[in-house]
Amino acid sequence: MEKQIIISIGRQYGSAGHEIAEKLAKKLDIDLYDRNLFEEIGKIKNIDTNDLEKYDEVPKKRFFSRTVNGYSNSPEENVAELQFALLKSKAYDGDSFVVVGRCSDDLFRGMEGFVSIFITGEMSEKIKRIINVRHMNEKQAKKAIERHDRKRALYHDYFVKDHKWGDCNTYDICLNSSRLGVDATVDFLYEYIKLLRDGKRLNLVSLPYR
């Protein structure tokens, strides 16, 4: 039986993190979990999740929510907890998968076969990508990047108490996708994960200080 591998991919908005996750999952022949988690939640709970998707990776509104006897009236928090529970059940069942965001860098920390990745990008390249994908002008694209990254940080840091979103010291590997491009970044990560699966180590050459 092949070793279980769980890959968490955090990403800056516009860095092509989702596309990289999608291509990496396909190359590894394992499932990808992102917004499609709602489909499974709907089947398991027998509920219509269309209205819940607007709360996906959205930070909790602190001043308008409260918790009584362990139950929260915050839809943002309840949606997050539903996704966390489903992801954990898949991990405990021995499934291998790639998951985008959703505090997965913390959910599976310490598990054997877990790899946490964070994808960044040059601001100029991220702006170009958002302009092309979202059909915005440069000013709108820059504001969208700042808004989405702020939202992701607030969401992550509400649920994860011991480290901050995007802190390079807390991920196994951080990559600037602007340097290699999407496909080469996927190839690099694929080789990295193959080495981990095979239990091998990279042979690093020590370079002299200059």
Side-chain angles (χ1 to χ4, degrees):
M1 185 176 176
E2 200 167 47
K3 292 180 182 177
Q4 182 185 30
I5 187 87
I6 297 174
I7 303 163
S8 163
I9 295 190
R11 73 288 186 213
Q12 293 177 340
Y13 190 67
S15 66
H18 183 275
E19 184 180 352
I20 289 165
E22 196 171 40
K23 289 186 173 184
L24 182 61
K26 187 174 182 180
K27 200 172 176 80
L28 290 165
D29 195 25
I30 58 178
D31 289 326
L32 169 71
Y33 294 117
D34 193 358
R35 295 181 72 87
N36 59 340
L37 283 168
F38 286 105
E39 295 174 18
E40 295 203 36
I41 290 171
K43 290 175 185 176
I44 294 168
K45 300 289 185 181
N46 195 27
I47 56 174
D48 182 358
T49 57
N50 287 329
D51 289 338
L52 299 182
E53 291 190 30
K54 62 186 176 185
Y55 301 111
D56 186 33
E57 285 198 297
V58 174
K60 176 182 175 180
K61 294 180 176 63
R62 294 174 184 268
F63 297 109
F64 298 98
S65 48
R66 47 189 302 218
T67 301
V68 179
N69 296 326
Y71 295 96
S72 173
N73 72 339
S74 164
E76 297 89 356
E77 187 165 13
N78 291 329
V79 164
E81 293 295 347
L82 281 170
Q83 292 183 86
F84 298 161
L86 180 56
L87 287 168
K88 284 179 181 178
S89 72
K90 289 182 177 297
Y92 296 148
D93 286 344
D95 294 355
S96 291
F97 54 86
V98 177
V99 56
V100 179
R102 288 150 188 84
C103 302
S104 52
D105 60 308
D106 186 67
L107 281 180
F108 308 114
R109 189 172 298 279
M111 282 187 65
E112 186 178 354
F114 174 62
V115 184
S116 60
I117 298 163
F118 193 81
I119 305 295
T120 68
E122 305 290 347
M123 179 58 83
S124 59
E125 293 300 315
K126 291 188 293 184
I127 287 172
K128 286 179 187 175
R129 183 176 180 81
I130 297 304
I131 288 171
N132 290 331
V133 174
R134 301 297 179 192
H135 309 294
M136 297 177 173
N137 62 39
E138 185 174 340
K139 186 177 180 180
Q140 290 171 329
K142 188 172 187 297
K143 283 187 176 180
I145 290 166
E146 292 169 350
R147 183 176 68 254
H148 280 275
D149 282 353
R150 183 167 57 249
K151 184 184 77 172
R152 286 173 180 173
L154 286 170
Y155 165 85
H156 177 279
D157 296 347
Y158 172 78
F159 291 103
V160 180
K161 304 303 182 186
D162 62 350
H163 64 271
K164 299 295 184 183
W165 179 83
D167 180 356
C168 64
N169 294 309
T170 62
Y171 298 90
D172 293 311
I173 185 166
C174 293
L175 273 180
N176 183 336
S177 60
S178 301
R179 299 294 179 90
L180 294 175
V182 170
D183 290 336
T185 297
V186 171
D187 291 342
F188 177 88
L189 291 172
Y190 176 77
E191 292 302 325
Y192 176 84
I193 289 159
K194 263 183 62 181
L195 285 169
L196 293 180
R197 261 188 165 173
D198 295 341
K200 296 177 181 177
R201 288 181 175 272
L202 288 169
N203 292 318
L204 300 179
V205 178
S206 297
L207 298 176
Y209 290 105
R210 295 188 180 184

